[in-house]
Amino acid sequence: MCGIVGFTGNHQAAPVLLDGLAKLEYRGYDSAGIAIRDGKSNTEIIKEKGKLKVLGEMTDWGNAVRGCCGIGHTRWATHGEPSALNAHPHSSDDENVIAVHNGIIENYQELKEKLSKQGYTFKSQTDTEVAVKLIDYYYKKYNEGPVDCIVRAMLRIRGSYALCVMFKDYPDEIYTARKDSPMIIGIANGETYVASDVPAILKYTRNVYYIGNHEIARLEKGKVTFYNIDREEISKPLTEIKWDAEAAEKGGYEHFMLKEIHEQPKVILDTINSVVQNGQISFESVDLSDDVMRSIRQVYIVACGSAYHVGMAVQYVIEELTSLSVRVELASEFRYRKMSLQDNSLVIIISQSGETADSLAALRSAKKQGVRTLGIVNVVGSSIAREAESVFYTLAGPEISVATTKAYSTQLIAGYLLALQFAKARAEITDERYAQLISEINSIPAKIEKILSDKERIQWFSSKLVGIKDAFFIGRGIDYAISLEGSLKMKEISYIHSEAYAAGELKHGPISLIEDGTVVISVVTQPELYEKTVSNMVEVKSRGANLVGVTTYGNYAMEDTADFVIFVPKIDPLFAGSLSVIPLQLMSYYVSVGKGFDVDKPRNLAKSVTVE
Ligand code: G6P
């Protein structure tokens, strides 16, 4: 979850590191630090609690620190509270070894005891300091060199890590090692960059190497050498990043979240066009053949957070269009369940980052059982994309705001297209219905534009929600899946206690929490379930709820029941979630802005959850 940047080249390193860290702040922002080397063995380590801005101001945005090689880190605390002491980089007492780390070292206590017996003492509460001192210990004990001592440490460490290490004796070099935490390396104009995510280095280079699990890299100016865990030199392919550098900038919007909400029509269209040509879906790029789709009997959709909510919505669509049975599972639960997966199953992992630790572990556990896997992933070359047998890339581009919007929307589209292709391959849909649904999917971008063009009305209403303490979201079927997402958005960026319930469950408990003025937001787009949900709305209204309805144009009677109604364009109900979610995203955004919160970096959250 933390952000890492490293640089060795001919320019001053600190401004490059701070600039890169600013692009990675969505990965963690409770403290930040840099270590800069001046070409000899002098190193300056500067770190502080708080957002990157604090470190930026301390160092005149890097201009006050001289040296052309360095590593930097923005932290999301796991071991030890956010503080200057626990901030990275960490170093051995003589500064022989200095490192930044992303991930969790599970056996750090045991390693700490081992090192304590060797006379090491520890200043911080972090697992990283233990890793640094372990590397230092092997470096001094065997006197073999950086790659060797890192490998020795890797063999002892359990857990996940992306490590960037500098050694006093190798002043212009950075060594990196990785296991289950993302890291990429880029080279341009005789200079070398390393980062935990693409946006940090996109400004400098589009040509990157993905360092694999259990691999080590030695970075020199304009040169990188890779090694496997057996310390043998290996070669790696260079990959070109196609993302637009501007896509990772705010482009005139006040927040990334608002910009990303507005990008949804475009990225949805891009995602559709990546597999639909002339009204037909082709899954050639996904590498999932019709034969395989015909052989599948059971689908498991496994994901975390909003991606899990996508799975909830897509489940209804697949079950409506095909005879497949679908189970949606939280990755953090799935990975530890003693579930025997049926033969002829497909496990679909949905993940924006492609690095979520639980989703990756779920993928691996499915593969272990010999079950076919498909990733719906946004980040090209990420771990899930590399390890899943088939990959459907969503083309959301870089998503910076911690609260997902555009990646979520493209995942929904990928799910619809998958459902439709399943139906087609299995001959469970007529040609007419298939063509009609493709055309409905194609209509989504323009319909979202229409909702966005009326956002001021939602902004106005949201300003009235700034003082509320609780909110409830209700819906049935797909509307329930969207309610889950609306509720998550509200709580994650507005810090309002919010819960989503299947509307039919209200009477089994939550209705007791409804009192005068309690905000209840009902999503009601499914014609077959309309009356049922409206009855539930009436029930809460009669107990004093302040009722908001999100429904389709035409359902004007809703205005008799709800205090405020948001209408979305008509569409086939299977895809209505792509429209009804937009007002909910906007609502949570405007409430958060109204409360004066840092919308893009909500407290305690990180975008890419690479630890359990
Ligand atoms: C975090 C993010 C969410 C995201 C979830 C899963 O909680 O804040 O926006 O839905 O992780 O992430 P993934 O990268 O696997 O989609």
Side-chain angles (χ1 to χ4, degrees):
M1 344 242 293
C2 309
I4 290 179
V5 185
F7 171 78
T8 179
N10 306 313
H11 287 87
Q12 293 301 314
V16 175
L17 299 186
L18 283 159
D19 182 60
L21 290 175
K23 306 265 165 32
L24 295 184
E25 236 192 327
Y26 62 85
R27 299 182 67 91
Y29 29 81
D30 58 48
S31 50
I34 51 173
I36 305 291
R37 188 146 268 182
D38 70 356
K40 296 173 213 97
S41 49
N42 303 332
T43 311
E44 201 168 341
I45 301 177
I46 305 162
K47 48 190 195 171
E48 195 45 275
K49 181 180 163 181
K51 294 204 168 138
L52 189 65
K53 194 166 166 272
V54 180
L55 183 71
E57 281 163 4
M58 279 168 75
T59 59
D60 185 20
W61 292 98
N63 293 314
V65 199
R66 310 300 292 170
C68 297
C69 176
I71 52 179
H73 189 267
T74 170
R75 181 170 184 247
W76 188 90
T78 55
H79 294 69
E81 57 172 18
S83 68
L85 208 59
N86 287 331
H88 300 213
H90 289 281
S91 70
S92 56
D93 294 343
D94 55 2
E95 294 194 350
N96 176 42
V97 178
I98 301 172
V100 292
H101 163 228
N102 173 25
I104 287 188
I105 293 166
E106 287 164 7
N107 57 338
Y108 83 105
Q109 279 297 4
E110 168 197 324
L111 295 172
K112 199 171 186 176
E113 277 161 34
K114 167 188 162 69
L115 290 166
S116 301
K117 284 187 198 136
Q118 303 298 329
Y120 281 91
T121 54
F122 295 87
K123 295 183 209 138
S124 76
Q125 297 145 305
T126 65
D127 50 347
T128 307
E129 190 183 356
V130 176
V132 168
K133 292 187 172 167
L134 187 68
I135 293 170
D136 180 66
Y137 168 70
Y138 286 130
Y139 184 85
K140 289 175 178 149
K141 179 168 178 190
Y142 294 102
N143 204 10
E144 297 163 322
V147 172
D148 307 83
C149 66
I150 291 174
V151 166
R152 287 184 187 278
M154 286 165 83
L155 294 171
R156 287 302 302 264
I157 288 171
R158 279 200 312 274
S160 60
Y161 49 83
L163 274 169
C164 276
V165 194
M166 298 199 298
F167 293 83
K168 199 179 223 162
D169 302 333
Y170 299 81
D172 290 327
E173 299 181 12
I174 299 170
Y175 290 79
T176 69
R178 169 185 184 276
K179 180 176 170 272
D180 294 343
S181 279
M183 195 151 56
I184 52 161
I185 295 168
I187 295 190
N189 308 322
E191 301 184 301
T192 308
Y193 304 81
V194 55
S196 38
D197 205 352
V198 173
I201 62 173
L202 204 52
K203 189 166 145 189
Y204 310 103
T205 181
R206 296 182 162 274
N207 298 319
V208 301
Y209 296 98
Y210 291 101
I211 173 167
N213 262 345
H214 295 118
E215 289 176 357
I216 304 102
R218 171 189 189 186
L219 276 57
E220 297 163 89
K221 289 181 191 180
K223 185 176 169 207
V224 54
T225 319
F226 292 96
Y227 303 86
N228 63 18
I229 193 106
D230 294 322
R231 309 177 206 185
E232 295 156 347
E233 207 174 308
I234 51 170
S235 62
K236 309 228 64 159
L238 200 58
T239 309
E240 193 195 342
I241 303 283
K242 301 232 164 63
W243 281 356
D244 177 358
E246 276 175 25
E249 306 287 340
K250 271 192 218 154
Y253 287 92
E254 200 184 335
H255 297 100
F256 278 109
M257 184 175 176
L258 190 60
K259 174 182 174 248
E260 288 162 3
I261 287 175
H262 278 269
E263 282 173 347
Q264 291 180 109
K266 180 184 179 298
V267 296
I268 286 176
L269 193 64
D270 290 345
T271 305
I272 299 171
N273 288 343
S274 71
V275 295
V276 179
Q277 275 106 37
N278 304 321
Q280 296 288 322
I281 302 169
S282 159
F283 266 11
E284 217 171 291
S285 59
V286 177
D287 197 16
L288 193 63
S289 70
D290 285 0
D291 279 349
V292 171
M293 292 185 115
R294 274 190 283 275
S295 70
I296 304 291
R297 292 280 167 273
Q298 170 79 45
V299 172
Y300 299 90
I301 304 180
V302 187
C304 300
S306 296
Y308 169 77
H309 297 157
V310 169
M312 290 289 286
V314 168
Q315 170 188 38
Y316 293 104
V317 182
I318 300 180
E319 289 188 340
E320 176 78 29
L321 293 179
T322 74
S323 57
L324 286 162
S325 119
V326 185
R327 283 176 67 160
V328 189
E329 304 278 341
L330 288 165
S332 52
E333 291 293 312
F334 181 88
R335 63 180 292 190
Y336 292 117
R337 291 257 290 282
K338 307 273 179 290
M339 247 169 124
S340 85
L341 304 181
Q342 296 176 24
D343 288 346
N344 299 335
S345 293
L346 175 70
V347 171
I348 303 172
I349 308 283
I350 306 180
S351 175
Q352 186 283 127
S353 62
E355 300 292 351
T356 302
D358 286 322
S359 303
L360 182 58
L363 170 71
R364 289 179 181 162
S365 100
K367 283 179 78 175
K368 226 183 205 165
Q369 291 202 39
V371 170
R372 193 155 179 118
T373 56
L374 163 72
I376 295 180
V377 179
N378 194 42
V379 177
V380 176
S382 55
S383 300
I384 293 173
R386 278 181 289 156
E387 294 186 29
E389 279 161 272
S390 309
V391 184
F392 187 147
Y393 278 114
T394 51
L395 300 185
E399 192 179 60
I400 307 297
S401 170
V402 167
T404 179
T405 51
K406 63 173 180 169
Y408 168 91
S409 282
T410 54
Q411 289 164 350
L412 273 181
I413 297 294
Y416 302 159
L417 293 167
L418 183 70
L420 213 47
Q421 187 62 7
F422 258 123
K424 180 88 187 288
R426 301 159 65 86
E428 294 184 309
I429 191 168
T430 63
D431 289 349
E432 293 72 38
R433 176 90 169 125
Y434 177 84
Q436 182 216 349
L437 290 182
I438 294 270
S439 129
E440 288 289 272
I441 292 174
N442 275 323
S443 77
I444 294 173
K447 289 174 180 168
I448 294 179
E449 290 286 10
K450 172 136 183 30
I451 301 168
L452 293 173
S453 69
D454 197 20
K455 66 175 192 287
E456 280 72 21
R457 197 169 160 266
I458 296 168
Q459 183 175 11
W460 168 81
F461 180 73
S462 306
S463 66
K464 300 183 183 309
L465 301 183
V466 164
I468 66 170
K469 294 240 164 352
D470 306 285
F472 291 88
F473 288 73
I474 58 168
R476 288 170 185 258
I478 287 174
D479 291 334
Y480 169 50
I482 301 305
S483 299
L484 288 168
E485 178 60 9
S487 169
L488 179 63
K489 287 274 109 32
M490 185 64 92
K491 65 164 79 83
E492 68 183 337
I493 59 171
S494 307
Y495 315 153
I496 288 171
H497 164 248
S498 149
E499 298 193 41
Y501 280 96
E505 277 295 295
L506 269 179
K507 287 204 267 303
H508 297 287
I511 201 163
S512 64
L513 296 169
I514 307 294
E515 41 186 44
D516 249 0
T518 308
V519 171
V520 178
I521 298 162
S522 313
V523 185
V524 203
T525 66
Q526 304 295 301
E528 282 178 14
L529 301 165
Y530 182 85
E531 284 176 3
K532 306 265 175 220
T533 308
V534 169
S535 306
N536 299 127
M537 291 170 72
V538 172
E539 283 157 13
V540 290
K541 171 106 181 155
S542 61
R543 284 157 180 87
N546 177 5
L547 205 52
V548 181
V550 178
T551 191
T552 318
Y553 279 108
N555 293 332
Y556 301 119
M558 171 86 57
E559 286 182 313
D560 300 334
T561 312
D563 299 290
F564 183 73
V565 182
I566 300 165
F567 293 101
V568 297
K570 280 193 176 148
I571 193 161
D572 189 287
L574 287 176
F575 311 134
S578 284
L579 306 185
S580 55
V581 76
I582 308 291
L584 304 185
Q585 294 170 344
L586 286 167
M587 209 184 277
S588 59
Y589 171 78
Y590 285 123
V591 173
S592 177
V593 172
K595 293 178 88 167
F597 294 149
D598 190 347
V599 180
D600 289 331
K601 297 184 205 109
R603 71 181 176 209
N604 304 339
L605 297 177
K607 183 146 194 75
S608 186
V609 182
T610 52
V611 295
E612 266 190 70

